[in-house]
Amino acid sequence: MRKTALTVAELTLFGMLAALTFALKVVMSGLPNIEPVSLMVMVVASVYGLRSLFPIYTYVLLEILVYGIGTWNINYLYVWPILAILAICFRKMEHPLGWAILSGAFGLAFGALCAPVDIFMGGWEFALSKWVSGIGFDLAHCGGNFVIALLLFNPLKKLMVKLRGNLRRADT
């Protein structure tokens, strides 16, 4: 029987991962649409499966607490879980190029993934014009995500797997 409740060790780790993700994003905020959030979501989701929603939504909560409430908060509620689900589907993939392609494609699609909220807020024309005007940022997001994942996904996943093993031993 698989336990479903979070352990204290998992709760602590997930809180730290959310805080680390937020801090890394703040540190890298001077680079346009080059961010570590996609990488962290993929790494945590590939190791923890759907339990990764805990640090993802804690990260979103930190965004709201620091930056306030805006339409991007609504986007974050479904965009990051989409990436997590994709990472769960590809969790057996080992080659960093595959993760880099997934991450880059997600960065390229980010503006389009945010369009449903824009449609609701201002209609089709607004959503289309906002998406088209942001394609340059999506391209930067794609390139940044690709490089970051290519370089860091496998080492971070190995670290996360080791942490998971340590948590399991601590819980016994």
Side-chain angles (χ1 to χ4, degrees):
M1 183 172 183
R2 184 167 185 213
K3 58 182 178 175
T4 56
L6 287 177
T7 65
V8 173
E10 285 177 321
L11 187 61
T12 303
L13 176 64
F14 291 162
M16 294 298 292
L17 288 171
L20 176 64
T21 301
F22 181 78
L24 289 170
K25 182 180 178 185
V26 170
V27 167
M28 296 178 71
S29 65
L31 304 171
N33 279 9
I34 299 172
E35 46 77 19
V37 181
S38 301
L39 173 68
M40 295 297 289
V41 167
M42 291 188 324
V43 169
V44 175
S46 70
V47 174
Y48 282 97
L50 289 177
R51 292 169 95 75
S52 64
L53 294 176
F54 289 104
I56 289 170
Y57 284 123
T58 304
Y59 163 77
V60 172
L61 177 62
L62 289 171
E63 286 271 333
I64 292 169
L65 291 173
V66 173
Y67 297 118
I69 295 176
T71 56
W72 66 89
N73 303 132
I74 299 167
N75 297 332
Y76 284 5
L77 293 174
Y78 68 89
V79 170
W80 297 124
I82 288 171
L83 181 58
I85 289 167
L86 289 170
I88 291 166
C89 290
F90 291 104
R91 69 172 34 176
K92 303 245 187 247
M93 181 168 50
E94 293 183 19
H95 200 284
L97 184 59
W99 289 104
I101 290 170
L102 175 62
S103 191
F106 179 79
L108 188 60
F110 195 85
L113 290 170
C114 294
V117 172
D118 296 331
I119 291 168
F120 179 74
M121 299 302 289
W124 286 99
E125 298 85 4
F126 172 72
L128 181 62
S129 66
K130 187 174 175 189
W131 174 61
V132 169
S133 68
I135 287 177
F137 286 100
D138 289 340
L139 288 169
H141 198 177
C142 171
N145 277 8
F146 182 90
V147 171
I148 289 171
L150 186 64
L151 297 174
L152 297 176
F153 183 85
N154 279 353
L156 287 176
K157 185 173 180 180
K158 286 178 187 172
L159 176 63
M160 193 64 54
V161 168
K162 187 175 181 177
L163 285 170
R164 184 184 62 192
N166 290 343
L167 290 179
R168 287 183 178 159
R169 283 191 295 279
D171 289 333
T172 57

